[in-house]
Amino acid sequence: MEEVDKIIIVSLRTIGCDIEDEIASLKEFSTELIVSSAVQCIKTILKQDVDLPNTLPGGMSARFRMGTGLANYIQELGYKGEIGYQTFLYSNESEIRKVFMFLVDRLPKDTVETTEEPMGSSALLQRAIASTVLRQMNSPWISPNLKKDSITWRGKPPMWQREGSCAMCNYHASKMKFPSGTGDLTKKVPKELKSYYCECLPYITNQTRNHKDTAPSILEEIASEISAQLEWENEWNSQGLASRLSEQEYKAKKRQRIQKRLAETLRQDFKRSQEASSSRSAQDLQQVLDKMGSRTSAGKTKGSRFTHTEQLVFAKDEVVSQIGTEAEKPHTEEELQKKREEEVLGLKEELESLSSKLDQLDLEVKKYSAGVKQMEEEITTQTRQNVEKEENYKVKKRTLDLLPDAENNIAKLQGIVDSSAQKLVTLANQWEKHRVPLIEQYRELKELNSKKESEAEKKLEEIKVFRQKMKEVADDARSKEEMLKHLNAEYNSMNKDEKRSGYTKRMMEIMSSIKKQRAGIDKVLTDTKSIQKEINSLSGKLDRTFTVTDELIFRDAKRDESVKKAYRYLAALHESCEQLVQTVADTGVIMREIRELEDQIENESKNKVLSNLEKITSDYQQMKKENQSMVEKIKHKS
Amino acid sequence: MSTHQFLTAKSTGLIERDINGDVLWTWSYPSVSDVDRVFFTQKCRLGTPENLVPFLFSQRDRSWYYILSGEVEDTDHLPKVTHVSIVLVTKDFNPEKYEILCRILLRKYRKSGNPASLLESYLSVLTRGSCSTEENGRFSVQDYDVKRSYANTKLKDFILTYGMESIIVYTALLLKKRVIVYCPENQLPQLMSIVRSLPALVWHRQNWDIAFPVVEIEDSEVDVLKETTSYVAGVTDASVEGRTDLYDVFVNTSTGQISIAPDAKESFAMGKLHKDIAKHMVQCAEGDEATEEQIIKEISKKTTELLNNLRSLATETEDGSHVIQLETLKERKMAAATESFLFSLAACEGLVEV
């Protein structure tokens, strides 16, 4: 019961009831405390304005009203037991316990769960942001001139904070030079390089043009290094391992490949540019030819002069003509016309001659190309035929030599041919003897090699799988560490009043004791049953034996006196024994009744009937007095 | 006059693929250079047995090579071998004959597992012109006339597929231009049959040296093509269409289109003459009972007609030879296209004054 009380008291404290620390059980709750805590509970549960005062009012009628109001609310909430104003004003420990248990149960779970908010990192971050912003907003505004780089030292617990955006600058990163290779102590850094690093290379804070760029540049460098490392890891894990080369070989191969591609693209572009430039050079050639052409034909220059003068005449008419050429105008026009006609004729003639020349040249070109083609073909055919004819000539010469003795020679030749064929065949057979084992060997070695390769591939696969697992395990470990951190923080921030483990222990103990009790009860029940059975069987036996003896002796009793006496004694014995048994049974019944009555007495005594009665009578008296005073007031008013 | 040779074969060899998936040149007679070995091993396509072409032939270095490939069955004496090919390099074009010969030789090898038996038959054909085959048969070189190979064409299908456009190919061959035929890799036999049929369009020349049934577009073979002025080549790489420096006419069997390279468009200007011939060709092919021989005959008839007409225009020169002069053609006032076509044809037939 103490634990229940403790739990109730703690939850009442969390919702805001002002309970003194000394009070540890519901017995010690005074009426006011009971009422105020109940009101608080109801307010928390219903979350709306409950028109009940927080404390017990002084007047009796008001108290009475409040009590009934409370009881109504609680009944509305669903309390199934009997409740009324008397539960609060004239309280009974067990009833109060039940009521409070019900109310605490009904308390909205949010209040209980405020401590279990998700401690995710984003939530943490947001909370941190909210708190910082709130803090900053609460402090008064200071002009930016008074802050150095917008940083100030203030706040309730004073800390550095950055306010405003005047001091912000662009994120501009520039290339930085770092000493490389100095981290590996086994490798020696050449003297000159060392001296350069020590003396000449400026500090990275000095390397950027603008000091504010230092941080961005460093960030960029680190980010690029990290990403390069990650990229390399990824590539190595996926392709590098599969290629089964060492790292350096793989890198060298990659470099070669990239260089090849560069060379190819450059070559293609170069070709394309050459073609473009050749077309351009053709254009230049055309221009040169034009120029040459214009120089040879006088008419053209005339034409150019003509056009030139034409332009002068027509373009600068307004400007120049006024002064110099006014008087000469009609003169030059006639001459110009004549010149024009002459030049047109001359040009036409030239054009005709040129076009006829062009046709002629065309024809000649065609003829020449056809001729060339023909000749080429003839050359090739002739050369081929030559070769063939040479061979034929050789063969024929030999045959001619052999011709005189044709028959013999033919037979001889045939023989030679056959024998050489035979020789070749035997040679082939001999070669087979050598060839077959070699090929077998080659094939076996290839098989072994391929087996090794497949094994190597399997191992590679395994390595990949292991790497994957490693990664996963590392990730797991990291996340678990983070969780551990979070949970630790949570645990530390939680208040330790509840001692949940203590509760659970007691609960388990209670459960085990209940089990034991149940076992004990079961035992007792079985015992009782067995005893009852025994009693039944024994009484049955008794009855049967008595009837038998009764009959037996009664039969003999008619004749014999002693038997009659014995019979009378038997009857008396039976009766007294029956009485004994009856008394024992009655005693048992009475004992049970005593026990029940004792229980009832205990229950009733809890009700504190007497004290409550006194209170009620006093309250009743008070109410009567108040009623009277109110009646008098009304009378006065009216 | 050439001497009578039973077999103009230069060399023969064996390529095997074993159970490790490794392709190896295992035997040759007489010796075959390393470059050739690598080339033939690549060509026989044993590396990808799914794409195996049973019989492949093409031209290389002025000689023809024939590769017969097959899967090794359990009855053969070749343990650890999954596929085997035989390579035969000869000077003449006669796919039928060499296919049979290759088959015989390969079977002998597979049965015995010993190339010496192969060599025996080979030498016997080389020296005597015939050899014994299984089932007491005889293989005799004389049974295979080269003209039969020439006439073993699929022109009917070709003309039916391409219709009037096949005149372009005919013109190209007449004018000794360069033709490239493209077929996807898995239709290699079709490619070979098309390429070997096309020279039959100019039957009067009887020159099958212009046919290169299977050509890979890599440097060595491309150089060979570049040196040849006129050829009919078959390729399995569709990107060749972009290389207009290698062809004048491109036949794409997968799209059924014939295209002309931009540089050569002038030579292919067609006139009424061409249309006539084209119509005639298509008519012949469409006839239900038209056989290959008939088609070839008809086409060659037309060609000879054309050439005779051309020759009639010849004038006699000082040294007594008949030549065609451009001026005579010009007097005829024919369409410019026909005029240039006839003049080029004359050049190809050797009728132009030099």
Side-chain angles (χ1 to χ4, degrees), chain A residues 6-180:
Chain A
K6 268 195 216 163
I7 294 171
I8 292 173
I9 290 171
V10 165
S11 7
L12 287 175
R13 280 207 188 110
T14 45
I15 59 168
C17 304
D18 211 0
I19 305 176
E20 282 152 45
D21 295 329
E22 298 158 341
I23 297 180
S25 75
L26 282 176
K27 236 192 212 171
E28 298 161 25
F29 266 40
S30 66
T31 334
E32 280 107 28
L33 196 54
I34 292 170
V35 169
S36 58
S37 353
V39 169
Q40 189 72 21
C41 286
I42 291 173
K43 281 200 181 151
T44 333
I45 293 173
L46 291 177
K47 283 194 185 128
Q48 48 186 296
D49 272 335
V50 171
D51 57 342
L52 291 172
N54 267 3
T55 51
L56 204 57
M60 205 45 239
S61 44
R63 280 198 202 180
F64 171 72
R65 239 177 287 133
M66 189 179 174
T68 33
L70 258 178
N72 281 339
Y73 270 114
I74 294 177
Q75 270 201 322
E76 272 172 35
L77 284 174
Y79 185 67
K80 290 212 172 76
E82 228 189 83
I83 193 167
Y85 68 95
Q86 73 276 15
T87 352
F88 297 103
L89 297 176
Y90 314 111
S91 44
N92 180 354
E93 194 193 334
S94 52
E95 278 190 26
I96 290 287
R97 192 171 288 129
K98 278 191 218 156
V99 171
F100 271 124
M101 272 180 16
F102 171 78
L103 283 173
V104 166
D105 228 7
R106 279 312 187 86
L107 276 177
K109 299 284 185 240
D110 299 340
T111 54
V112 180
E113 283 182 32
T114 39
T115 49
E116 287 176 28
E117 251 181 36
M119 282 287 189
S121 51
S122 62
L124 274 174
L125 183 67
Q126 281 181 3
R127 240 191 277 159
I129 292 173
S131 61
T132 344
V133 169
L134 200 64
R135 198 164 17 96
Q136 287 190 7
M137 301 236 302
N138 283 338
S139 42
W141 178 82
I142 297 184
S143 113
N145 299 330
L146 299 173
K147 299 184 251 191
K148 181 154 198 262
D149 287 340
S150 320
I151 301 181
T152 54
W153 170 265
R154 51 204 194 118
K156 238 196 184 166
M159 52 171 73
W160 290 110
Q161 55 191 32
R162 184 185 279 275
E163 296 167 6
S165 56
C166 315
M168 291 199 194
C169 55
N170 273 342
Y171 185 90
H172 179 259
S174 48
K175 197 89 183 81
M176 310 204 100
K177 289 204 209 81
F178 308 103
S180 62

Side-chain angles (χ1 to χ4, degrees), chain A residues 10 25 105 107 196 203 233 278 508 583 606:
Chain A
V10 165
S25 75
D105 228 7
L107 276 177
Y196 170 66
Y203 294 131
E233 258 195 47
S278 65
M508 301 304 284
T583 0
K606 279 194 198 160

Side-chain angles (χ1 to χ4, degrees), chain B residues 147-196:
Chain B
K147 286 243 175 6
R148 257 177 56 188
S149 301
Y150 287 168
N152 188 0
T153 57
K154 293 270 187 311
L155 277 181
K156 185 169 175 186
D157 292 332
F158 186 79
I159 298 175
L160 285 177
T161 322
Y162 295 98
M164 296 288 271
E165 291 201 337
S166 34
I167 188 70
I168 301 178
V169 178
Y170 173 75
T171 322
L173 287 165
L174 264 188
L175 297 180
K176 296 201 179 163
K177 297 274 179 208
R178 308 170 293 170
V179 181
I180 289 193
V181 182
Y182 159 72
C183 243
E185 169 82 28
N186 51 2
Q187 291 173 19
L188 213 54
Q190 195 197 6
L191 179 67
M192 293 198 291
S193 79
I194 291 180
V195 176
R196 68 171 292 175

Side-chain angles (χ1 to χ4, degrees), chain A residues 363 367 370 373-377 392 396 417-418 421 424-425 428-429 431-432 435 439 442-443 446-447, chain B residues 1-3 16 18 20 22 24 26 29 81 114-116 119 127-128 175-176 326-327 330 347 350 352:
Chain A
L363 272 174
K367 276 196 204 163
K373 215 177 174 181
Q374 222 178 288
M375 287 316 294
E376 275 181 9
E377 274 195 53
N392 286 343
K396 287 214 168 114
V417 160
D418 286 338
L424 279 170
V425 172
N429 278 324
W431 167 238
E432 271 306 292
R435 182 189 78 107
I439 286 195
Y442 176 80
R443 286 195 173 138
K446 270 252 161 167
E447 258 193 73
Chain B
M1 242 177 35
S2 64
T3 49
E16 286 172 8
D18 57 24
N20 299 327
D22 184 38
L24 191 63
T26 46
Y29 168 79
V81 178
N114 183 1
L119 184 64
T127 53
R128 274 186 285 256
L175 297 180
K176 296 201 179 163
L326 199 52
E327 290 77 24
K330 284 215 179 284
V352 169

Side-chain angles (χ1 to χ4, degrees), chain A residues 591-607:
Chain A
M591 295 286 296
R592 254 180 279 148
E593 277 183 23
I594 290 172
R595 244 180 277 139
E596 279 177 30
L597 282 170
E598 280 181 9
D599 277 341
Q600 275 188 2
I601 288 169
E602 247 194 80
N603 277 342
E604 290 303 320
S605 70
K606 279 194 198 160
N607 282 343

